[in-house]
Amino acid sequence: MISNNTANGLNGQVFAVTGGASGIGLSIVSALCERGASVAILDLPNSQGALVATRLQEEGKHVQFFDANVSELERLDDVAAEVEKQLGPISGFVANAGISRVCAAMDYTPEAWRETMGVNLDGAFFSVQAFARRMRAHGGSIVMISSIAAKHVVSPETHAAYGASKAAVAHLASLLGIEWASLGIRVNAVAPGYTDTPILQKMKTDDPSTVAAWVNRTHLGRLLDPQEIANSVVFLLSGYSSGITGTVLEVDAGYR
Ligand code: NAD
């Protein structure tokens, strides 16, 4: 079935975004709201999620905050059920929540390794599974946020667990996109390059030479704006991408 959602008309459709309280996730939430969608922000209880949702509601947007830690795997089915109960049948889901801890490979403890995998890989898979179960009856579109660190050895930062988790996320999107194609559930990944989120704002001040080195490896010669990542996610959630599943879309400013 070809969805008739266009990128400009997601009116009344329901989407959920993990890590929607900040950075790229917040840009995705805003982009979906701008197009008339109802959006669930799933984020940690101590995040800006509740605040952000209130601000967007005051602007007349249909947004609701849900307390959801994606590494609490057993809770994710209940979270998806609650979103559906409050907002209605779910059209799309974005597995965006992620952490990036710098650690030399020689120094990882099992706990530090598992922390990153628990959020970035286990949390992504089981949140996608929970929301896909809700889409089984009517189909939908899922986007998983990977990273350029999935394919490239980024530097000078060292975060082997992050790179490995994001490579797994990219391949998972391909696996699930094919496995669930017959259910009308499309799954794709977006792999962003260095994006100007709050954490990079701080890096620009604290370590401008590292930021310059990253920019030097981009052929567009700049950091990405979170809005540029959000636009690609909206495309993959919308009917404009109805023929696309199991792909990884690199939105990386030509990083090589
Ligand atoms: P960010 O730190 O600004 O936002 C991440 C959000 O995820 C926060 O709101 C945080 O509270 C939430 N979060 C963290 N752990 C969570 C958990 N266990 N459960 C639920 N929510 C949780 O980060 P960002 O830069 O916007 O990154 C968003 C995604 O994009 C991440 O997956 C990141 O790996 C990926 N990414 C970012 C960049 C970049 O340059 N910013 C580049 C490539 C990929």
Side-chain angles (χ1 to χ4, degrees), residues 19 22-24 43 68-70 96 98 145-146 162 166 192-195 197:
S22 168
I24 290 172
D43 212 307
N69 181 340
V70 297
N96 164 77
I145 304 298
S146 176
Y162 180 79
K166 291 297 184 179
Y194 290 104
T195 307
T197 55

Side-chain angles (χ1 to χ4, degrees), residues 113-189:
W113 180 267
R114 285 250 45 93
E115 184 196 17
T116 294
M117 291 296 171
V119 176
N120 293 7
L121 179 55
D122 303 359
F125 175 71
F126 283 99
S127 60
V128 164
Q129 182 199 57
F131 279 84
R133 285 171 171 164
R134 300 272 143 196
M135 294 174 190
R136 212 173 346 204
H138 49 78
S141 178
I142 293 171
V143 179
M144 304 181 73
I145 304 298
S146 176
S147 166
I148 50 167
K151 179 170 137 182
H152 300 279
V153 177
V154 296
S155 62
E157 63 276 27
T158 53
H159 45 30
Y162 180 79
S165 71
K166 291 297 184 179
V169 162
H171 193 53
L172 252 183
S174 300
L175 293 168
L176 301 178
I178 301 310
E179 183 173 330
W180 293 341
S182 62
L183 303 175
I185 301 174
R186 297 187 295 109
V187 187
N188 293 287

